Amino acid sequence: MPKTKTIFTCSACGHETGRWLGKCPACHAYNTFEESVAIAKKTIGRGHAGGGRFAPTPSTGTSTRLSEIKSIADEKFPTGLTELDRVLSGGIVPGSLMLLGGEPGIGKSTILLQICQNKPFTILYVSGEESAGQINLRAARLGQFGENTYILAESDLAAIEGEIHRLSPHLLVIDSIQTMMHSDLTSAAGSVTQVREATAFFMRLAKERGMATIIVGHVTKEGAIAGPKILEHMVDCVLYFEGERHGGFRIIRAVKNRFGGTGEIGIFEMDEGGLKPITNPSEYMLTGRPLDAPGSIITCAMEGSRPILAEVQALVAPTKAPNPRRVVSGMDYNRINMLLAMLEKRCRLYLSQADSYVNVAGGMKLTEPAADLAAIAAIASSYKNKPINPETLIFGEVGLTGEVRAVNHTQKRIDEAAKLAFTEIIIPQANLKGIKRPGGVKILGVANIGELLALILA
Ligand code: TYD
Ligand code: MG
């Protein structure tokens, strides 16, 4: 009999204790502890990862010269999807464990099946959610699959381990980690204990066998509960799917990558044949934008090494309510509140007597302060009910006194705007020095938000 011990785990943050607690001392959530039976680690799977190139630490007790260790990053294999390879800095590393998170229905299973296409090695795709028949239906929409892709509809870890030993796959896909079960644990599938134990189990197998492993983690709307967040520190690489489930495009972003950078994003479009890479994102983001409508302006954001154009929209409507509504999507809520307060104080726009809605079109998220100036322009344009020239593009950071501050990658942003036929670009004054001006494009510098409003609402 394996050695067991009762433990209590907080389902919000994963904190473990030996007794039940009403309030979690780590995250202060109430009633989140669940009981489970932990098994001494040795009895799960095939023990700890031993030595070898893929093991986290060599077990021999002797050290190796750094210069003599062969880089496992050189053995990366491309996924075959250009936008995904960009996010992964080239491809997947053998023996690595990767977590792919995202809301249900966003396209995780679809992209993983696409990765399985046309590979020269054995792949085992384990689904605890769908039957083999359902996966086959999806595969039929995606096109051709080789003889070496195996599907297993199973959620029991012991059974999956048996199949891994039989097939020795080069790539293992687990869809999803929330459905995996270790039968010696009493807690339900999807509980913190099961999810953690299953991840540790696949981590050991991946390192022992040099088998690349991708696990899917559903992100629930409420956020943390037994979701991918509690696994981020365990795995080598964490990717998240963003975007609107019902909207056109999906973005994959790396938040952690032990074998490459995390700056780049991958942009895809879901159509009837699966996820397709979007190679000209700026053009894509601008399709269908209104011309000559108040409250709409284009900005240029840097996503990794790529400049991407995005449309910022605002709707400002007067209200008599004591607490006006403020709704923001695609930008930081607190930052927009700050910009609204600044416009009120410095430019005398009475925004405390108006409902304000700010939105980035197409489900895109702008996290850079360089988008500040565009938000200011969109809000002021809607407030004054005056459209901005549709051939104008704006970027720049705004400080608390209303000053416009310099941003990085000015030239790249200007060139991207010029490529898409913008004829007027408004940038921070401090960025004017030394820039190359593309032919036919007027570049104007502003030092504060007053100057910006005078320019666009003249
Ligand atoms: P899915 O990959 O199952 O999402 P997840 O695994 O993240 O829960 O499916 C995403 C959605 O995409 C689903 O509603 C069906 C749709 N879809 C397409 O539009 N085209 C396709 O070719 C496929 C396979 C799915
Ligand atoms: Mg799925």
Side-chain angles (χ1 to χ4, degrees), residues 104-110 125 127 129-130 138 175-176 216 218:
I106 196 131
K108 301 180 295 295
S109 306
T110 305
Y125 185 110
S127 179
E129 302 194 336
E130 293 167 299
R138 185 198 308 268
D175 189 1
S176 67
V216 167
H218 288 295

Side-chain angles (χ1 to χ4, degrees), residues 334-396:
N334 292 321
R335 188 126 194 127
I336 294 293
N337 269 318
M338 182 194 90
L339 298 177
L340 288 166
M342 199 186 302
L343 276 169
E344 176 133 15
K345 178 119 181 156
R346 312 247 169 245
C347 304
R348 302 191 187 284
L349 306 191
Y350 299 106
L351 293 159
S352 55
Q353 290 155 34
D355 291 335
S356 302
Y357 304 85
V358 176
N359 175 41
V360 183
M364 176 101 178
K365 283 199 177 78
L366 300 179
T367 49
E368 269 189 308
D372 288 352
L373 218 49
I376 292 264
I379 293 164
S381 155
S382 176
Y383 181 90
K384 298 272 189 195
N385 211 22
K386 261 192 160 175
I388 304 172
N389 174 5
E391 293 191 356
T392 301
L393 181 139
I394 299 180
F395 62 84

Side-chain angles (χ1 to χ4, degrees), residues 102-121:
E103 282 177 29
I106 196 131
K108 301 180 295 295
S109 306
T110 305
I111 201 163
L112 289 175
L113 259 188
Q114 285 180 260
I115 294 176
C116 297
Q117 284 181 303
N118 308 318
K119 293 290 174 297
F121 43 73

Side-chain angles (χ1 to χ4, degrees), residues 1 7 30 89 115 126 238 243 271 289 297 299 312 413 416:
M1 270 299 281
I7 55 160
Y30 287 94
S89 311
I115 294 176
V126 181
V238 181
D271 71 11
R289 79 168 163 129
I297 184 71
T299 188
V312 179
R413 296 182 210 250
E416 180 76 3

